[in-house]
PDB file of all heavy atoms in Angstrom:
ATOM      1  N   GLU A   1     -75.080 110.460-111.305  1.00 94.00           N
ATOM      2  CA  GLU A   1     -74.392 111.752-111.209  1.00 94.00           C
ATOM      3  C   GLU A   1     -73.704 111.898-109.854  1.00 94.00           C
ATOM      4  O   GLU A   1     -72.562 112.375-109.779  1.00 94.00           O
ATOM      5  CB  GLU A   1     -75.381 112.908-111.440  1.00 94.00           C
ATOM      6  CG  GLU A   1     -74.751 114.283-111.419  1.00 94.00           C
ATOM      7  CD  GLU A   1     -73.688 114.492-112.503  1.00 94.00           C
ATOM      8  OE1 GLU A   1     -73.707 113.838-113.555  1.00 94.00           O
ATOM      9  OE2 GLU A   1     -72.803 115.349-112.264  1.00 94.00           O
ATOM     10  N   LEU A   2     -74.383 111.477-108.788  1.00 94.00           N
ATOM     11  CA  LEU A   2     -73.769 111.532-107.453  1.00 94.00           C
ATOM     12  C   LEU A   2     -72.529 110.636-107.392  1.00 94.00           C
ATOM     13  O   LEU A   2     -71.527 111.009-106.792  1.00 94.00           O
ATOM     14  CB  LEU A   2     -74.779 111.133-106.374  1.00 94.00           C
ATOM     15  CG  LEU A   2     -75.860 112.154-106.054  1.00 94.00           C
ATOM     16  CD1 LEU A   2     -76.869 111.561-105.076  1.00 94.00           C
ATOM     17  CD2 LEU A   2     -75.251 113.428-105.483  1.00 94.00           C
ATOM     18  N   GLN A   3     -72.600 109.480-108.021  1.00 95.00           N
ATOM     19  CA  GLN A   3     -71.446 108.571-108.049  1.00 95.00           C
ATOM     20  C   GLN A   3     -70.288 109.224-108.800  1.00 95.00           C
ATOM     21  O   GLN A   3     -69.142 109.177-108.377  1.00 95.00           O
ATOM     22  CB  GLN A   3     -71.831 107.240-108.710  1.00 95.00           C
ATOM     23  CG  GLN A   3     -70.698 106.240-108.779  1.00 95.00           C
ATOM     24  CD  GLN A   3     -70.192 105.815-107.411  1.00 95.00           C
ATOM     25  OE1 GLN A   3     -70.985 105.523-106.513  1.00 95.00           O
ATOM     26  NE2 GLN A   3     -68.888 105.799-107.227  1.00 95.00           N
ATOM     27  N   ARG A   4     -70.624 109.848-109.954  1.00 95.00           N
ATOM     28  CA  ARG A   4     -69.597 110.539-110.742  1.00 95.00           C
ATOM     29  C   ARG A   4     -68.979 111.677-109.925  1.00 95.00           C
ATOM     30  O   ARG A   4     -67.756 111.840-109.900  1.00 95.00           O
ATOM     31  CB  ARG A   4     -70.215 111.084-112.035  1.00 95.00           C
ATOM     32  CG  ARG A   4     -69.207 111.571-113.055  1.00 95.00           C
ATOM     33  CD  ARG A   4     -69.868 112.071-114.331  1.00 95.00           C
ATOM     34  NE  ARG A   4     -70.505 113.363-114.173  1.00 95.00           N
ATOM     35  CZ  ARG A   4     -69.856 114.536-114.134  1.00 95.00           C
ATOM     36  NH1 ARG A   4     -68.551 114.564-114.241  1.00 95.00           N
ATOM     37  NH2 ARG A   4     -70.503 115.665-113.984  1.00 95.00           N
ATOM     38  N   GLN A   5     -69.813 112.446-109.243  1.00 95.00           N
ATOM     39  CA  GLN A   5     -69.318 113.544-108.403  1.00 95.00           C
ATOM     40  C   GLN A   5     -68.446 112.993-107.262  1.00 95.00           C
ATOM     41  O   GLN A   5     -67.410 113.563-106.931  1.00 95.00           O
ATOM     42  CB  GLN A   5     -70.495 114.367-107.829  1.00 95.00           C
ATOM     43  CG  GLN A   5     -71.289 115.143-108.851  1.00 95.00           C
ATOM     44  CD  GLN A   5     -70.492 116.249-109.498  1.00 95.00           C
ATOM     45  OE1 GLN A   5     -69.656 116.866-108.867  1.00 95.00           O
ATOM     46  NE2 GLN A   5     -70.739 116.470-110.782  1.00 95.00           N
ATOM     47  N   GLY A   6     -68.882 111.889-106.685  1.00 94.00           N
ATOM     48  CA  GLY A   6     -68.100 111.252-105.619  1.00 94.00           C
ATOM     49  C   GLY A   6     -66.745 110.796-106.124  1.00 94.00           C
ATOM     50  O   GLY A   6     -65.721 110.951-105.443  1.00 94.00           O
ATOM     51  N   ASP A   7     -66.725 110.233-107.339  1.00 95.00           N
ATOM     52  CA  ASP A   7     -65.458 109.797-107.943  1.00 95.00           C
ATOM     53  C   ASP A   7     -64.541 110.992-108.175  1.00 95.00           C
ATOM     54  O   ASP A   7     -63.331 110.923-107.923  1.00 95.00           O
ATOM     55  CB  ASP A   7     -65.713 109.059-109.260  1.00 95.00           C
ATOM     56  CG  ASP A   7     -66.376 107.701-109.064  1.00 95.00           C
ATOM     57  OD1 ASP A   7     -66.378 107.198-107.910  1.00 95.00           O
ATOM     58  OD2 ASP A   7     -66.888 107.143-110.055  1.00 95.00           O
ATOM     59  N   LEU A   8     -65.137 112.091-108.677  1.00 95.00           N
ATOM     60  CA  LEU A   8     -64.336 113.299-108.895  1.00 95.00           C
ATOM     61  C   LEU A   8     -63.779 113.848-107.578  1.00 95.00           C
ATOM     62  O   LEU A   8     -62.613 114.253-107.507  1.00 95.00           O
ATOM     63  CB  LEU A   8     -65.175 114.374-109.612  1.00 95.00           C
ATOM     64  CG  LEU A   8     -65.497 114.102-111.077  1.00 95.00           C
ATOM     65  CD1 LEU A   8     -66.465 115.163-111.610  1.00 95.00           C
ATOM     66  CD2 LEU A   8     -64.238 114.061-111.923  1.00 95.00           C
ATOM     67  N   ILE A   9     -64.588 113.843-106.553  1.00 96.00           N
ATOM     68  CA  ILE A   9     -64.143 114.319-105.237  1.00 96.00           C
ATOM     69  C   ILE A   9     -63.019 113.420-104.724  1.00 96.00           C
ATOM     70  O   ILE A   9     -62.007 113.909-104.200  1.00 96.00           O
ATOM     71  CB  ILE A   9     -65.330 114.382-104.240  1.00 96.00           C
ATOM     72  CG1 ILE A   9     -66.245 115.529-104.623  1.00 96.00           C
ATOM     73  CG2 ILE A   9     -64.827 114.525-102.809  1.00 96.00           C
ATOM     74  CD1 ILE A   9     -67.560 115.556-103.853  1.00 96.00           C
ATOM     75  N   HIS A  10     -63.163 112.119-104.914  1.00 96.00           N
ATOM     76  CA  HIS A  10     -62.115 111.184-104.487  1.00 96.00           C
ATOM     77  C   HIS A  10     -60.808 111.459-105.247  1.00 96.00           C
ATOM     78  O   HIS A  10     -59.724 111.455-104.661  1.00 96.00           O
ATOM     79  CB  HIS A  10     -62.574 109.741-104.706  1.00 96.00           C
ATOM     80  CG  HIS A  10     -61.546 108.728-104.337  1.00 96.00           C
ATOM     81  ND1 HIS A  10     -61.052 108.595-103.051  1.00 96.00           N
ATOM     82  CD2 HIS A  10     -60.889 107.803-105.090  1.00 96.00           C
ATOM     83  CE1 HIS A  10     -60.143 107.639-103.042  1.00 96.00           C
ATOM     84  NE2 HIS A  10     -60.029 107.138-104.264  1.00 96.00           N
ATOM     85  N   GLN A  11     -60.934 111.713-106.568  1.00 96.00           N
ATOM     86  CA  GLN A  11     -59.748 112.049-107.356  1.00 96.00           C
ATOM     87  C   GLN A  11     -59.100 113.338-106.847  1.00 96.00           C
ATOM     88  O   GLN A  11     -57.869 113.429-106.759  1.00 96.00           O
ATOM     89  CB  GLN A  11     -60.116 112.219-108.842  1.00 96.00           C
ATOM     90  CG  GLN A  11     -60.364 110.925-109.568  1.00 96.00           C
ATOM     91  CD  GLN A  11     -60.792 111.175-111.017  1.00 96.00           C
ATOM     92  OE1 GLN A  11     -61.288 112.240-111.362  1.00 96.00           O
ATOM     93  NE2 GLN A  11     -60.594 110.171-111.853  1.00 96.00           N
ATOM     94  N   LEU A  12     -59.927 114.317-106.518  1.00 95.00           N
ATOM     95  CA  LEU A  12     -59.397 115.582-105.993  1.00 95.00           C
ATOM     96  C   LEU A  12     -58.681 115.369-104.666  1.00 95.00           C
ATOM     97  O   LEU A  12     -57.598 115.908-104.438  1.00 95.00           O
ATOM     98  CB  LEU A  12     -60.521 116.614-105.816  1.00 95.00           C
ATOM     99  CG  LEU A  12     -61.020 117.276-107.098  1.00 95.00           C
ATOM    100  CD1 LEU A  12     -62.257 118.113-106.806  1.00 95.00           C
ATOM    101  CD2 LEU A  12     -59.929 118.145-107.698  1.00 95.00           C
ATOM    102  N   ILE A  13     -59.292 114.567-103.808  1.00 95.00           N
ATOM    103  CA  ILE A  13     -58.678 114.285-102.504  1.00 95.00           C
ATOM    104  C   ILE A  13     -57.337 113.582-102.707  1.00 95.00           C
ATOM    105  O   ILE A  13     -56.336 113.923-102.070  1.00 95.00           O
ATOM    106  CB  ILE A  13     -59.627 113.442-101.628  1.00 95.00           C
ATOM    107  CG1 ILE A  13     -60.812 114.304-101.173  1.00 95.00           C
ATOM    108  CG2 ILE A  13     -58.897 112.855-100.425  1.00 95.00           C
ATOM    109  CD1 ILE A  13     -61.936 113.521-100.498  1.00 95.00           C
ATOM    110  N   THR A  14     -57.291 112.623-103.625  1.00 95.00           N
ATOM    111  CA  THR A  14     -56.050 111.902-103.918  1.00 95.00           C
ATOM    112  C   THR A  14     -55.002 112.852-104.471  1.00 95.00           C
ATOM    113  O   THR A  14     -53.834 112.842-104.056  1.00 95.00           O
ATOM    114  CB  THR A  14     -56.325 110.758-104.919  1.00 95.00           C
ATOM    115  OG1 THR A  14     -57.288 109.880-104.349  1.00 95.00           O
ATOM    116  CG2 THR A  14     -55.062 109.988-105.238  1.00 95.00           C
ATOM    117  N   THR A  15     -55.425 113.719-105.402  1.00 95.00           N
ATOM    118  CA  THR A  15     -54.500 114.679-106.005  1.00 95.00           C
ATOM    119  C   THR A  15     -53.983 115.662-104.962  1.00 95.00           C
ATOM    120  O   THR A  15     -52.778 115.949-104.910  1.00 95.00           O
ATOM    121  CB  THR A  15     -55.196 115.444-107.155  1.00 95.00           C
ATOM    122  OG1 THR A  15     -55.641 114.494-108.124  1.00 95.00           O
ATOM    123  CG2 THR A  15     -54.263 116.448-107.800  1.00 95.00           C
ATOM    124  N   VAL A  16     -54.878 116.171-104.129  1.00 95.00           N
ATOM    125  CA  VAL A  16     -54.464 117.114-103.080  1.00 95.00           C
ATOM    126  C   VAL A  16     -53.515 116.427-102.104  1.00 95.00           C
ATOM    127  O   VAL A  16     -52.514 117.017-101.675  1.00 95.00           O
ATOM    128  CB  VAL A  16     -55.702 117.708-102.353  1.00 95.00           C
ATOM    129  CG1 VAL A  16     -55.300 118.440-101.094  1.00 95.00           C
ATOM    130  CG2 VAL A  16     -56.470 118.631-103.292  1.00 95.00           C
ATOM    131  N   GLY A  17     -53.794 115.183-101.772  1.00 93.00           N
ATOM    132  CA  GLY A  17     -52.890 114.437-100.885  1.00 93.00           C
ATOM    133  C   GLY A  17     -51.511 114.279-101.496  1.00 93.00           C
ATOM    134  O   GLY A  17     -50.489 114.474-100.829  1.00 93.00           O
ATOM    135  N   ALA A  18     -51.471 113.940-102.791  1.00 95.00           N
ATOM    136  CA  ALA A  18     -50.185 113.796-103.477  1.00 95.00           C
ATOM    137  C   ALA A  18     -49.462 115.134-103.529  1.00 95.00           C
ATOM    138  O   ALA A  18     -48.246 115.208-103.330  1.00 95.00           O
ATOM    139  CB  ALA A  18     -50.388 113.247-104.886  1.00 95.00           C
ATOM    140  N   MET A  19     -50.216 116.200-103.780  1.00 96.00           N
ATOM    141  CA  MET A  19     -49.607 117.529-103.816  1.00 96.00           C
ATOM    142  C   MET A  19     -49.087 117.914-102.430  1.00 96.00           C
ATOM    143  O   MET A  19     -48.013 118.520-102.309  1.00 96.00           O
ATOM    144  CB  MET A  19     -50.615 118.569-104.315  1.00 96.00           C
ATOM    145  CG  MET A  19     -50.902 118.430-105.810  1.00 96.00           C
ATOM    146  SD  MET A  19     -52.200 119.540-106.386  1.00 96.00           S
ATOM    147  CE  MET A  19     -51.390 121.103-106.221  1.00 96.00           C
ATOM    148  N   GLY A  20     -49.822 117.543-101.397  1.00 94.00           N
ATOM    149  CA  GLY A  20     -49.371 117.814-100.035  1.00 94.00           C
ATOM    150  C   GLY A  20     -48.055 117.118 -99.736  1.00 94.00           C
ATOM    151  O   GLY A  20     -47.145 117.698 -99.141  1.00 94.00           O
ATOM    152  N   LYS A  21     -47.932 115.873-100.178  1.00 96.00           N
ATOM    153  CA  LYS A  21     -46.677 115.138 -99.987  1.00 96.00           C
ATOM    154  C   LYS A  21     -45.543 115.811-100.752  1.00 96.00           C
ATOM    155  O   LYS A  21     -44.426 115.928-100.250  1.00 96.00           O
ATOM    156  CB  LYS A  21     -46.830 113.684-100.432  1.00 96.00           C
ATOM    157  CG  LYS A  21     -47.674 112.849 -99.500  1.00 96.00           C
ATOM    158  CD  LYS A  21     -47.825 111.432-100.025  1.00 96.00           C
ATOM    159  CE  LYS A  21     -48.752 110.626 -99.123  1.00 96.00           C
ATOM    160  NZ  LYS A  21     -48.975 109.269 -99.625  1.00 96.00           N
ATOM    161  N   ALA A  22     -45.846 116.242-101.980  1.00 96.00           N
ATOM    162  CA  ALA A  22     -44.823 116.916-102.792  1.00 96.00           C
ATOM    163  C   ALA A  22     -44.397 118.219-102.130  1.00 96.00           C
ATOM    164  O   ALA A  22     -43.203 118.551-102.085  1.00 96.00           O
ATOM    165  CB  ALA A  22     -45.351 117.175-104.205  1.00 96.00           C
ATOM    166  N   VAL A  23     -45.353 118.973-101.601  1.00 96.00           N
ATOM    167  CA  VAL A  23     -45.037 120.235-100.915  1.00 96.00           C
ATOM    168  C   VAL A  23     -44.198 119.953 -99.678  1.00 96.00           C
ATOM    169  O   VAL A  23     -43.206 120.656 -99.418  1.00 96.00           O
ATOM    170  CB  VAL A  23     -46.325 121.007-100.557  1.00 96.00           C
ATOM    171  CG1 VAL A  23     -46.040 122.137 -99.588  1.00 96.00           C
ATOM    172  CG2 VAL A  23     -46.995 121.543-101.819  1.00 96.00           C
ATOM    173  N   ASN A  24     -44.550 118.920 -98.923  1.00 96.00           N
ATOM    174  CA  ASN A  24     -43.759 118.561 -97.739  1.00 96.00           C
ATOM    175  C   ASN A  24     -42.333 118.200 -98.129  1.00 96.00           C
ATOM    176  O   ASN A  24     -41.376 118.608 -97.462  1.00 96.00           O
ATOM    177  CB  ASN A  24     -44.406 117.398 -96.982  1.00 96.00           C
ATOM    178  CG  ASN A  24     -45.639 117.814 -96.217  1.00 96.00           C
ATOM    179  OD1 ASN A  24     -45.827 118.992 -95.925  1.00 96.00           O
ATOM    180  ND2 ASN A  24     -46.485 116.861 -95.909  1.00 96.00           N
ATOM    181  N   SER A  25     -42.209 117.451 -99.210  1.00 96.00           N
ATOM    182  CA  SER A  25     -40.875 117.068 -99.690  1.00 96.00           C
ATOM    183  C   SER A  25     -40.085 118.312-100.087  1.00 96.00           C
ATOM    184  O   SER A  25     -38.901 118.440 -99.757  1.00 96.00           O
ATOM    185  CB  SER A  25     -41.013 116.121-100.882  1.00 96.00           C
ATOM    186  OG  SER A  25     -39.751 115.834-101.428  1.00 96.00           O
TER     187      SER A  25
END
């Protein structure tokens, strides 16, 4: 479960990073 939660957090971080780049653009 911790691994799954970690994967989800990593996906969120990746998504937020991509959204940040899109917002900057």
Side-chain angles (χ1 to χ4, degrees):
E1 182 61 25
L2 286 174
Q3 180 62 45
R4 192 179 74 77
Q5 293 294 326
D7 291 345
L8 289 173
I9 289 171
H10 178 62
Q11 285 177 337
L12 284 172
I13 289 170
T14 301
T15 301
V16 168
M19 288 174 69
K21 288 178 184 177
V23 167
N24 286 340
S25 175

